[in-house]
Amino acid sequence: MEIDKAIGESDDRRLKTKYNNAIYVIKRALALYSIEEVAFSFNGGKDSTVLLHLLRAGYFLHKMEQKCSNGGLTSFPIRTIYFENSSAFPEINSFTYDTASSYGLQLDIISSDFKSGLEKLLKANPIRAIFLGVRIGDPTAVGQEQFSPSSPGWPPFMRVNPILDWSYRDVWAFILTCKVQYCSLYDQGYTSIGSIHDTVPNALLSISDSSCKEKFKPAYLLSDGRLERAGRAKKFSPSIATVRNGSGDVDSHKSSVLVASAIAVGEEILFGTVEDQLGLSLCRKIHSIGWSVSQTIVVRNDVSCLLLKLSQNAFLAEFKHLSFSFSLETPFFVDLSLYQKDSVAEEVERRKSTNDMVFIYGGVGPLHSDVTLAGVAKAFGVRLAPDEEFEEYLRHLISDHCTGDRNEMALLPEGITELLHHEKLVVPLIKCQNVIIFTATNATELDKEWDCLIELTRSPGLLSTMVPYVSKHLQTNLSDVETAQPLSKLCLEFPDLNIGCYRKSRKGPLLISFEGKDQTQIESAVESLCKKFHPGTFSEIH
Ligand SMILES: Cc1cc2nc3c(=O)[nH]c(=O)nc-3n(C[C@H](O)[C@H](O)[C@H](O)COP(=O)(O)O)c2cc1C
Ligand SMILES: Nc1ncnc2c1ncn2[C@@H]1O[C@H](COP(=O)(O)OP(=O)(O)OP(=O)(O)O)[C@@H](O)[C@H]1O
Ligand SMILES: [Mg+2]
């Protein structure tokens, strides 16, 4: 079988692993379902082209194992379905039909939408499982596993996704290694193909020359797989600009108060081994953009999150070949329920719904104690999934030093993660809805990450800069007892101001601070306080 042979002869170890995993999924599906019960959803795109050849190889190998191969399996008996659409590219249509005839595919052409088309098809045929070329990173992959039942409201069938964990790079490595034909649009700069209305060639492949017609390099030359969808019309993602106010309404009013909290993750801070320098600095920064800080908290990097670090893919990839003879040392089987505290997840869950923004730092990386991302994922009820875009950054960052599977190291909360790139940052900031994860380990690094974040806010829709806080500070030699009542009254008089009192020492002066967004209110409050005492009782500190 030419596909199996080409991969066998290749020295691309990663491709071999991906191929073996995909073939494993296909063979298990063919063992679970009879050939009449499976179908292949083919649309001429690159992912479904890869899947076609994997299915050809998988079917061949399955038959070989059943010892009923006649050695010359040329036909492809898996029912193939194509949802034809008038807005499909003509090149996609012709490639689909040409491929069907080259490989003897029994093509069912469906002209209705996916759902009603499938309802009709399943009524008329005993189909129980459908192979799809869905990959993690596709908008429709969220929450899917290699075997995922169809969604509620859809006819019942199993969605089988053999290339779910393949990256853009893997797809092209396979196509080029196996020298299989692909739709001509991919040679004209298209990197992911939707309809004629929402897809253009990827501008990153543009070859600028002086002649009037713009030319593009082929899709396989796109070095950054994370930019695969740059030629697709963007669906707008919810931004931080449309934050909730206290009552849950959308509020982008400049003068209203937005509230954030900061979570530090690290046992070393709680043990007192390390000082939390970032908390103080972060509070100042949040305050400096006119936001209010509701709470700062330090949480442990709890052990139960370790369980989450082993994604299903990692699990399959790591242990499948052991023929299920797991050792007790396998962390997957360690009963961690006794230790379950989930501090990160619990804190994030609590804070994300009561704050406009949550900033979290510490516990990000590949170490056993780096559980922040797992905690965030758990707080949002999603899993950690390999993120191709993030993987690219890691590839540049750690290049040859990486011993493990980078795909597994780049695990991020699935479906809720947005990477915030800035040219000054080696790794982008990670934003999961209203939670921003800093990777800084000291105040200088935090300064840089914060500055980049603020710079990014200039593009519309990120962290809104609010009307800044203004403040005035007084000092007095009065005792606490003498000032207590007048100050309480003042607080009632000026509910929009934050009037705080503190001492640096028991014997020293009492310091009174007035903070708010309205300078005149601050002046009035100061005047009102001064009037209650003899002139000269208070002096201003600058
Ligand atoms: C064979 C097949 C099965 C599908 N099953 C489901 C499903 O179970 N649940 C669902 O929400 N969408 C399902 N879809 C729809 C896809 O998730 C997605 O909406 C579709 O591929 C359109 O993607 P687009 O919006 O990027 O064009 C299915 C599509 C196909 C072709
Ligand atoms: N019109 C369709 N007919 C049949 N299957 C489809 C259709 N559209 C999508 N699919 C299925 O969904 C999968 C995912 O689609 P997606 O557009 O992400 O990938 P692709 O079309 O194979 O490649 P590309 O990302 O380059 O467009 C396809 O591989 C195919 O299995
Ligand atoms: Mg497509």
Side-chain angles (χ1 to χ4, degrees):
M1 203 286 152
E2 85 282 5
I3 299 293
D4 197 54
K5 190 163 172 272
I7 299 291
E9 286 167 0
S10 156
D11 50 13
D12 183 340
R13 275 182 45 224
R14 177 175 163 130
L15 180 60
K16 279 181 201 273
T17 309
K18 296 283 167 184
Y19 173 79
N20 288 334
N21 285 346
I23 293 293
Y24 172 79
V25 171
I26 291 168
K27 287 201 295 193
R28 293 315 295 157
L30 295 178
L32 274 165
Y33 306 101
S34 70
I35 210 74
E36 295 75 32
E37 289 173 337
V38 294
F40 162 43
S41 193
F42 180 58
N43 68 338
K46 64 179 184 316
D47 303 331
S48 63
T49 300
V50 166
L51 184 55
L52 164 67
H53 296 287
L54 288 170
L55 284 170
R56 291 178 55 240
Y59 176 69
F60 176 85
L61 295 167
H62 170 74
K63 282 286 173 199
M64 292 277 283
E65 277 171 21
Q66 288 187 333
K67 307 233 178 350
C68 54
S69 164
N70 56 13
L73 276 170
T74 44
S75 71
F76 180 78
I78 300 175
R79 176 189 292 273
T80 304
I81 46 181
Y82 175 43
F83 293 85
E84 203 182 38
N85 190 317
S86 56
S87 51
F89 282 90
E91 291 88 340
I92 277 282
N93 271 331
S94 54
F95 177 74
T96 305
Y97 299 134
D98 290 352
T99 308
S101 86
S102 305
Y103 293 100
L105 312 182
Q106 310 166 26
L107 201 60
D108 268 333
I109 298 161
I110 304 176
S111 304
S112 48
D113 65 280
F114 291 127
K115 204 164 164 188
S116 41
L118 287 169
E119 264 157 15
K120 232 191 234 165
L121 186 79
L122 266 68
K123 248 184 213 150
N125 297 280
I127 294 168
R128 294 176 61 210
I130 304 179
F131 290 102
L132 290 137
V134 170
R135 290 191 289 118
I136 276 179
D138 291 349
T140 58
V142 175
Q144 288 208 57
E145 306 284 352
Q146 275 137 336
F147 287 85
S148 281
S150 53
S151 315
W154 284 69
F157 58 92
M158 184 64 81
R159 286 175 288 179
V160 187
N161 305 310
I163 60 165
L164 190 68
D165 65 333
W166 285 43
S167 67
Y168 183 81
R169 191 178 287 271
D170 297 330
V171 164
W172 282 110
F174 178 88
I175 291 176
L176 299 177
T177 302
C178 298
K179 300 189 176 65
V180 293
Q181 293 219 319
Y182 54 85
C183 175
S184 60
L185 289 175
Y186 294 108
D187 279 336
Q188 296 162 36
Y190 290 83
T191 50
S192 175
I193 301 168
S195 77
I196 46 170
H197 306 300
D198 68 8
T199 315
V200 290
N202 193 322
L204 291 145
L205 292 173
S206 167
I207 311 166
S208 35
D209 64 14
S210 46
S211 71
C212 50
K213 200 164 182 285
E214 198 175 7
K215 281 190 177 158
F216 293 88
K217 289 186 274 186
Y220 57 81
L221 289 182
L222 183 75
S223 53
D224 252 356
R226 64 199 163 164
L227 300 166
E228 170 182 359
R229 262 167 241 284
R232 301 279 290 261
K234 289 210 168 43
K235 287 182 186 153
F236 227 79
S237 75
S239 70
I240 311 176
T242 50
V243 285
R244 290 158 296 99
N245 61 19
S247 59
D249 300 332
V250 165
D251 187 356
S252 56
H253 197 261
K254 275 264 183 186
S255 62
S256 59
V257 174
L258 294 178
V259 182
S261 60
I263 305 175
V265 182
E267 242 128 39
E268 62 284 1
I269 303 172
L270 293 170
F271 288 152
T273 324
V274 166
E275 190 187 351
D276 174 25
Q277 305 168 333
L278 276 67
L280 178 69
S281 162
L282 193 53
C283 283
R284 284 195 184 131
K285 291 176 192 310
I286 297 170
H287 205 64
S288 74
I289 57 161
W291 284 54
S292 161
V293 180
S294 69
Q295 194 178 39
T296 64
I297 187 163
V298 183
V299 296
R300 298 178 46 157
N301 3 14
D302 276 325
V303 75
S304 64
C305 294
L306 281 177
L307 200 60
L308 278 164
K309 288 205 91 168
L310 268 184
S311 71
Q312 195 215 10
N313 286 338
F315 171 72
L316 276 174
E318 287 293 321
F319 304 121
K320 178 185 84 198
H321 305 294
L322 300 179
S323 315
F324 301 106
S325 58
F326 300 106
S327 88
L328 277 177
E329 289 144 39
T330 311
F332 207 80
F333 281 88
V334 177
D335 181 7
L336 295 168
S337 54
L338 288 175
Y339 309 98
Q340 280 192 355
K341 283 241 177 65
D342 279 337
S343 301
V344 178
E346 280 172 13
E347 207 49 50
V348 173
E349 194 173 357
R350 200 172 300 140
R351 300 286 143 218
K352 75 180 171 62
S353 48
T354 51
N355 285 260
D356 296 295
M357 186 67 64
V358 180
F359 296 99
I360 186 162
Y361 54 93
V364 184
L367 301 174
H368 71 283
S369 54
D370 294 331
V371 296
T372 298
L373 287 164
V376 172
K378 198 164 181 186
F380 281 98
V382 300
R383 64 183 175 180
L384 286 177
D387 184 295
E388 194 174 321
E389 191 177 348
F390 200 55
E391 193 196 345
E392 283 294 330
Y393 281 101
L394 291 185
R395 203 170 60 81
H396 290 299
L397 189 67
I398 51 183
S399 55
D400 296 338
H401 305 298
C402 175
T403 48
D405 183 349
R406 269 188 300 264
N407 209 227
E408 296 301 341
M409 282 179 66
L411 295 173
L412 295 177
E414 189 185 28
I416 56 165
T417 301
E418 210 179 301
L419 295 177
L420 308 177
H421 320 279
H422 192 287
E423 57 192 16
K424 288 192 194 136
L425 297 177
V426 210
V427 176
L429 296 166
I430 302 163
K431 167 172 150 351
C432 298
Q433 294 190 2
N434 65 334
V435 178
I436 292 205
I437 298 146
F438 289 116
T439 53
T441 56
N442 61 37
T444 319
E445 287 168 12
L446 183 68
D447 285 351
K448 190 171 171 189
E449 289 183 11
W450 180 266
D451 290 348
C452 292
L453 182 66
I454 294 299
E455 234 175 80
L456 288 167
T457 65
R458 295 215 185 105
S459 54
L462 207 66
L463 195 69
S464 317
T465 301
M466 308 300 289
V467 169
Y469 276 100
V470 276
S471 61
K472 209 158 193 171
H473 303 268
L474 303 182
Q475 66 175 18
T476 176
N477 288 324
L478 291 174
S479 70
D480 291 4
V481 178
E482 287 168 292
T483 44
Q485 240 189 18
L487 278 174
S488 298
K489 278 192 189 150
L490 200 68
C491 291
L492 293 174
E493 248 180 90
F494 295 93
D496 291 341
L497 296 185
N498 199 334
I499 303 172
C501 305
Y502 57 98
R503 289 179 176 280
K504 286 189 179 160
S505 77
R506 273 285 147 221
K507 285 189 182 149
L510 176 70
L511 307 165
I512 305 169
S513 66
F514 297 80
E515 296 229 32
K517 301 222 164 189
D518 183 349
Q519 186 75 47
T520 15
Q521 268 204 31
I522 291 187
E523 299 299 346
S524 312
V526 168
E527 198 184 316
S528 175
L529 178 68
C530 292
K531 267 194 200 153
K532 294 182 205 278
F533 294 90
H534 296 297
T537 308
F538 299 95
S539 57
E540 193 176 340
I541 334 170
H542 294 284

